[in-house]
Amino acid sequence: MWEYIEERAIKCAEYIVATGCTVRACSAHFSISKSTVHKDVAERLQYIDTALYERTKEVLALNLSERHIRGGIATREKYISKKQR
């Protein structure tokens, strides 16, 4: 694997673990696509750093379980802001 890909995967995973952010937020932070971040942390990282992969997997699982809640909050805020106009 290319060295810069390994470095990118490790940086993304460390950022996700440190902040607890989503793949979307990580991709915005590093200015790369969501699919690249996901491929890096979900597939490539497993062969680079197993311990970091496990910690990242836990954060991503938590984000997945909370996804429907964040979506509901976003929809609620959307309609509240429409009402206030």
Side-chain angles (χ1 to χ4, degrees):
M1 191 177 316
W2 298 88
E3 187 175 326
Y4 77 94
I5 294 175
E6 291 179 359
E7 291 173 6
R8 182 183 65 208
I10 291 170
K11 284 181 183 178
C12 286
E14 288 174 344
Y15 182 73
I16 289 173
V17 169
T19 62
C21 70
T22 61
V23 169
R24 183 181 296 240
C26 182
S27 70
H29 179 77
F30 290 107
S31 300
I32 53 180
S33 72
K34 292 183 301 184
S35 57
T36 301
V37 172
H38 190 269
K39 178 103 174 165
D40 284 349
V41 299
E43 295 177 17
R44 295 181 178 131
L45 188 63
Q46 185 175 7
Y47 303 107
I48 300 168
D49 187 347
T50 309
L52 183 58
Y53 168 75
E54 292 297 326
R55 288 184 285 159
T56 306
K57 196 167 98 172
E58 290 173 8
V59 174
L60 294 179
L62 177 66
N63 288 340
L64 181 64
S65 69
E66 294 175 345
R67 182 174 60 184
H68 67 285
I69 296 169
R70 282 193 299 273
I73 291 170
T75 303
R76 181 174 180 263
E77 290 174 0
K78 172 184 165 185
Y79 286 110
I80 288 173
S81 69
K82 274 187 177 182
K83 190 183 258 188
Q84 291 175 351
R85 287 188 220 165

